[in-house]
């Protein structure tokens, strides 16, 4: 059984022919709490083309997670512009932004990506439904099988190993045909064997499902399977 129709046009696709998946144009992000200002991004410029898998590297505090939050439309830049598929995210209206987040985007954090009391299959089905996709049990099971999780379909997510949980999250992204997958240290909690399996699954998201994958990581192994690496330092390209 295969997951059919592996790639769809992003809901926010521009008229321009194949704009990049992500662009940061002179992006600044300043966090203010009371009198304290933290400049997390200071003039970040980068382009990530469609269908790339890119490692985002750099020391702790250099702005990697901040950039992912902007790319996910969860926060806005203080100055500059972030574009996804050619569209400036701050210029999307509420409905367009919600659609971008629900349909085009998948986010994989270090952990806690699943509803722990639902089974693996229920997690994928719920993810499909929230994305406005057909929530057929077959699609969810097929996606789990594609990522070697067929025998875990009926296990509660909270009882899966860390690596299995990450692969369920990745299978859900594949099932909903997420065009852009943003990962923040997805193998940070895993031993080497599980890191390699999750790394393989991320690579497959790009190779077999056409997703653009951006992955913040400290893992040389994970960075090594990416098409290229982008290094940040002090809120901009190193
Ligand atoms: P990285 O993911 O590369 O470790 P972050 O993007 O999380 O870096 O953080 C960049 C800088 O912004 C750090 O100095 C961090 O302390 C600060 N920062 C991040 N989020 C917030 C926030 N919500 N409020 C205030 N400062 C923040
Ligand atoms: Mg971070």
């Amino acid at each position: 059984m295969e997951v059919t129709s592996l790639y769809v046009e992003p809901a926010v696709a521009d008229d321009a022919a194949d704009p990049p998946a992500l662009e940061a144009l002179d992006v600044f992000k300043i966090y203010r709490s009371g009198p304290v200002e933290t400049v997390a991004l200071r003039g970040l410029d980068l382009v990530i083309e469609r269908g790339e898998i890119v490692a985002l590297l750099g020391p702790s505090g250099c702005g990697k997670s901040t950039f992912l939050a902007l790319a996910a439309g969860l926060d806005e830049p203080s100055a500059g512009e972030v574009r996804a598929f050619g569209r400036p995210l701050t210029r999307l209206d509420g409905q367009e932004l919600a659609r971008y987040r629900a349909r085009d985007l998948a986010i994989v954090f270090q952990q806690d990506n699943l509803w722990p009391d639902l089974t693996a299959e229920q997690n994928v089905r719920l993810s499909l439904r929230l994305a406005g996709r057909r929530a057929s049990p077959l699609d969810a099971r097929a996606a789990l099988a594609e990522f070697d999780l067929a025998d875990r379909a009926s296990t509660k997510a909270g009882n899966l190993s860390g690596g299995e949980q990450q692969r369920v999250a990745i299978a859900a992204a594949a099932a909903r045909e997420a065009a852009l997958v943003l990962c923040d240290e997805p193998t940070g909690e895993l031993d080497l064997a599980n890191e390699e399996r999750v790394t393989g699954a991320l690579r497959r998201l790009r190779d077999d499902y056409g997703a653009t994958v951006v992955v913040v990581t400290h893992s040389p192994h994970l960075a090594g399977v990416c098409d290229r690496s982008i290094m940040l330092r002090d809120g901009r390209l190193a």
Side-chain angles (χ1 to χ4, degrees), residues 9 91 94-95 114 169 171 175 196 218:
E9 276 304 301
R91 274 188 249 156
Q95 200 177 355
L114 305 174
E196 285 178 358
H218 293 289

Side-chain angles (χ1 to χ4, degrees), residues 63-76:
K64 305 181 297 294
S65 296
T66 297
F67 171 67
L68 288 193
L70 300 182
L74 297 170
D75 202 352
E76 295 191 353

Side-chain angles (χ1 to χ4, degrees), residues 67-148:
F67 171 67
L68 288 193
L70 300 182
L74 297 170
D75 202 352
E76 295 191 353
S78 308
E81 195 164 272
V82 177
R83 294 186 190 156
F85 304 105
R87 300 271 300 270
L89 289 176
T90 45
R91 274 188 249 156
L92 300 185
D93 65 28
Q95 200 177 355
E96 288 171 321
L97 194 60
R99 201 155 156 241
Y100 167 65
R101 287 210 206 100
R103 286 216 25 205
D104 301 330
L105 201 65
I107 304 178
V108 181
F109 295 108
Q110 199 160 21
Q111 52 188 27
D112 300 328
N113 291 301
L114 305 174
W115 289 274
D117 292 330
L118 299 184
T119 67
E121 181 181 340
Q122 287 168 336
N123 266 279
V124 177
R125 290 175 64 184
L126 182 53
S127 173
L128 278 162
R129 192 165 337 145
L130 292 174
R133 302 261 175 208
R134 219 166 11 93
S136 123
L138 191 64
D139 287 347
R141 281 191 167 263
L144 288 170
E146 288 283 311
F147 288 88
D148 298 327

Side-chain angles (χ1 to χ4, degrees), residues 55-59 62 64 215-219 223 229-233:
L56 197 55
L57 312 175
C62 71
K64 305 181 297 294
V215 50
V216 169
T217 186
H218 293 289
S219 154
S229 296
I230 294 175
M231 177 77 78
L232 299 195
R233 190 180 309 265

Side-chain angles (χ1 to χ4, degrees), residues 6-217:
L6 301 182
Y7 180 75
V8 289
E9 276 304 301
V12 296
D14 196 15
D15 290 340
D18 271 358
L22 268 182
E23 295 161 275
L25 304 164
D26 202 17
V27 168
F28 285 74
K29 179 65 186 178
I30 301 166
Y31 293 107
R32 294 193 174 84
S33 57
V36 181
E37 286 193 348
T38 305
V39 184
L41 296 176
R42 55 182 90 222
L44 178 66
D45 282 296
L46 59 82
V47 177
I48 294 168
E49 301 291 347
R50 288 183 191 219
E52 280 194 296
I53 177 167
V54 174
L56 197 55
L57 312 175
S60 179
C62 71
K64 305 181 297 294
S65 296
T66 297
F67 171 67
L68 288 193
L70 300 182
L74 297 170
D75 202 352
E76 295 191 353
S78 308
E81 195 164 272
V82 177
R83 294 186 190 156
F85 304 105
R87 300 271 300 270
L89 289 176
T90 45
R91 274 188 249 156
L92 300 185
D93 65 28
Q95 200 177 355
E96 288 171 321
L97 194 60
R99 201 155 156 241
Y100 167 65
R101 287 210 206 100
R103 286 216 25 205
D104 301 330
L105 201 65
I107 304 178
V108 181
F109 295 108
Q110 199 160 21
Q111 52 188 27
D112 300 328
N113 291 301
L114 305 174
W115 289 274
D117 292 330
L118 299 184
T119 67
E121 181 181 340
Q122 287 168 336
N123 266 279
V124 177
R125 290 175 64 184
L126 182 53
S127 173
L128 278 162
R129 192 165 337 145
L130 292 174
R133 302 261 175 208
R134 219 166 11 93
S136 123
L138 191 64
D139 287 347
R141 281 191 167 263
L144 288 170
E146 288 283 311
F147 288 88
D148 298 327
L149 291 160
D151 59 342
R152 291 289 181 270
S154 302
T155 304
K156 274 191 183 183
N159 293 333
L160 296 171
S161 74
E164 287 169 342
Q165 290 185 31
Q166 295 302 65
R167 285 188 290 125
V168 171
I170 291 165
R176 26 183 291 233
E177 303 170 306
L180 178 60
V181 183
L182 304 176
C183 311
D184 204 342
E185 306 196 28
T187 64
E189 296 281 306
L190 304 181
D191 59 36
L192 186 61
N194 276 298
E195 180 182 341
E196 285 178 358
R197 300 194 79 183
V198 169
T199 293
L202 286 173
R203 180 80 214 183
R204 288 196 51 213
L205 266 184
R206 173 221 179 279
D207 292 348
D208 300 348
Y209 295 82
T212 304
V213 181
V214 183
V215 50
V216 169
T217 186

